[in-house]
Amino acid sequence: MIEQILDGYESIVGSNVLKYNLNAYGEVYHIHGSVVDPTTMVLVESDYKDWDKNSKYFASKLLTYFAEHPIFIFGYALSDPNVRTVLGDIGRYVADETGLIGNVIQVIWHPEQDWEESETEFAIESEGFQFRIRVLHVNSLLNIFESLHARHELLNVNPAIVRALAARVMQLTRRDIPNGNIEVDYKTLEHAATGDNLPAMLGLTLANNVNMQHPHLLSAVGKQLGYAGWHGADKLIKKVQQDTGIDIKDSDNRYHCRVKTGSGDKSFSRKFSDEAVALLGQVRDGKDYKVEL
């Protein structure tokens, strides 16, 4: 499911994690294996014992990644011994002075519809140390997924291109330049890296195209929200204005922009972003929401 959602991401299975540079971008790591290769799967007691023997190496390999990114834990109980082992190892390096591992959040789903969402903490004992992580208790995962999607800075970046660029830079710095395969003019490189020419040298252009940031007409927004056309979405925008005093159509912002289509004052088209769709979906469902222009 995750690989279908994150189109273009590369699947890294089992012990192959140890062979990869985790500072790259666009990978899905199957730490406990995958059904595409049943021999990699961690299922029975002997598998877990073997995994436990290697967990220290796994933790050290994943440490940099865990320390530099937010980590959400879904589908694992905190009683899982492997999870506790890894978190204990991570905590010794990234926990603050109070023992809190601030970038790790455990999500626990409660199927009861009347469950009130709350945040608690969970303590983990590890070799004489005590660490804590935040725990979110929710009755729906939808809000979390929508929040993560709406704030994804690299939403429109092609992961295959990023991986290719990173691999080429790694090859240059680790092999080609040290072996003398390429003569380097460092002054030229420094000038390019500190100026505006580097994207052009790499064949990249700035993605300021309004259609990438705000790809939807209001009619398309309405259909995504389950309405026949634009009227339903427009009513939700008016409700946001009534609730907050903010008209998202009154300016160019993260939710909306006005695009000129002709020379006349009224020749323009309104375009909306994915964040606008997520915001109006929360309004439609009667959920708490916050408008941040």
Side-chain angles (χ1 to χ4, degrees):
M1 182 192 71
I2 292 176
E3 287 159 358
Q4 291 177 1
I5 295 172
L6 302 176
D7 185 36
Y9 279 51
E10 185 174 355
S11 175
I12 313 300
V13 178
S15 60
N16 285 328
V17 171
L18 303 178
K19 304 175 184 178
Y20 276 78
N21 168 33
L22 297 188
N23 291 319
Y25 166 75
E27 288 89 28
V28 177
Y29 301 105
H30 297 267
I31 306 299
H32 278 182
S34 169
V35 292
V36 299
D37 183 0
T39 62
T40 65
M41 297 179 68
V42 179
L43 292 175
V44 298
E45 183 177 2
S46 59
D47 297 332
Y48 275 88
K49 287 181 178 179
D50 290 339
W51 194 95
D52 190 53
K53 292 177 183 177
N54 297 321
S55 64
K56 298 292 184 183
Y57 193 22
F58 271 103
S60 63
K61 183 72 175 180
L62 294 170
L63 178 59
T64 300
Y65 191 86
F66 281 2
E68 296 179 353
H69 298 79
I71 306 298
F72 287 80
I73 301 176
F74 296 94
Y76 280 88
L78 287 172
S79 58
D80 187 300
N82 290 328
V83 173
R84 295 171 71 96
T85 297
V86 172
L87 289 179
D89 292 335
I90 300 302
R92 277 192 286 275
Y93 293 93
V94 304
D96 63 17
E97 63 275 6
T98 70
L100 178 66
I101 310 175
N103 63 316
V104 177
I105 298 177
Q106 166 82 11
V107 179
I108 297 181
W109 174 63
H110 300 269
E112 302 87 356
Q113 290 298 317
D114 58 348
W115 182 273
E116 185 175 350
E117 296 188 2
S118 61
E119 179 177 330
T120 61
E121 291 186 351
F122 184 85
I124 301 167
E125 298 281 349
S126 177
E127 299 182 6
F129 296 92
Q130 185 178 79
F131 305 107
R132 296 174 293 112
I133 67 171
R134 289 180 291 164
V135 182
L136 294 181
H137 299 268
V138 300
N139 61 9
S140 171
L141 299 178
L142 185 60
N143 285 345
I144 294 175
F145 292 151
E146 286 179 341
S147 297
L148 292 174
H149 178 273
R151 297 180 182 275
H152 191 346
E153 296 88 347
L154 299 176
L155 195 61
N156 294 318
V157 174
N158 186 323
I161 293 178
V162 176
R163 285 200 307 272
L165 287 172
R168 185 64 188 120
V169 170
M170 191 69 66
Q171 182 179 347
L172 279 170
T173 56
R174 287 190 172 183
R175 190 181 69 187
D176 292 347
I177 294 176
N179 290 340
N181 296 334
I182 295 178
E183 293 187 8
V184 182
D185 184 339
Y186 288 101
K187 289 185 178 180
T188 301
L189 284 178
E190 182 179 2
H191 174 72
T194 55
D196 297 326
N197 298 324
L198 188 59
M201 291 174 61
L202 295 174
L204 304 176
T205 58
L206 295 177
N208 290 330
N209 188 332
V210 67
N211 290 311
M212 294 184 65
Q213 304 302 325
H214 298 78
H216 310 295
L217 293 170
L218 189 58
S219 58
V221 174
K223 290 180 180 179
Q224 288 193 56
L225 294 170
Y227 302 109
W230 63 271
H231 296 85
D234 190 57
K235 289 181 179 179
L236 295 175
I237 292 174
K238 291 177 180 177
K239 177 170 175 52
V240 171
Q241 185 177 6
Q242 292 172 356
D243 292 345
T244 67
I246 299 173
D247 182 2
I248 65 173
K249 295 193 299 182
D250 195 39
S251 65
D252 290 348
N253 51 65
R254 65 197 302 174
Y255 306 109
H256 158 272
C257 71
R258 198 173 78 158
V259 183
K260 286 287 290 181
T261 58
S263 58
D265 292 340
K266 295 184 179 180
S267 297
F268 64 86
S269 177
R270 297 188 183 277
K271 303 295 291 289
F272 297 84
S273 66
D274 290 329
E275 288 186 87
V277 177
L279 171 68
L280 297 180
Q282 292 176 321
V283 178
R284 175 201 61 193
D285 297 338
K287 297 178 179 177
D288 294 334
Y289 66 90
K290 184 177 182 181
V291 180
E292 298 178 342
L293 299 181

